[in-house]
């Protein structure tokens, strides 16, 4: 649960800075967060 909260917090921070950073930086950050969430989801599904 902590990881989901941390991911959402990071997503909020990144979305808040989207207006101030170039598009490629935004896309890289989105890819990193998406990958992190995907890995988390796979690990949770395997745990069950």
């Amino acid at each position: 649960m902590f990881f989901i909260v941390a991911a959402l917090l990071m997503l909020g921070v990144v979305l808040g800075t989207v207006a101030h950073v170039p598009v490629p930086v935004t896309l890289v950050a989105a890819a990193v967060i998406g990958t992190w969430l995907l890995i988390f989801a796979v690990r949770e599904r395997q745990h069950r």
Side-chain angles (χ1 to χ4, degrees), residues 2-47:
F2 172 74
F3 293 112
I4 293 173
V5 172
L8 290 174
L9 180 63
M10 282 182 51
L11 182 62
V13 169
V14 170
L15 285 176
T17 60
V18 166
H20 304 288
V21 296
V23 174
V25 175
T26 302
L27 294 177
V28 168
V32 168
I33 292 172
T35 303
W36 182 22
L37 288 173
L38 182 64
I39 291 169
F40 177 75
V42 168
R43 288 179 61 194
E44 283 295 312
R45 190 170 282 250
Q46 286 178 349
H47 181 66

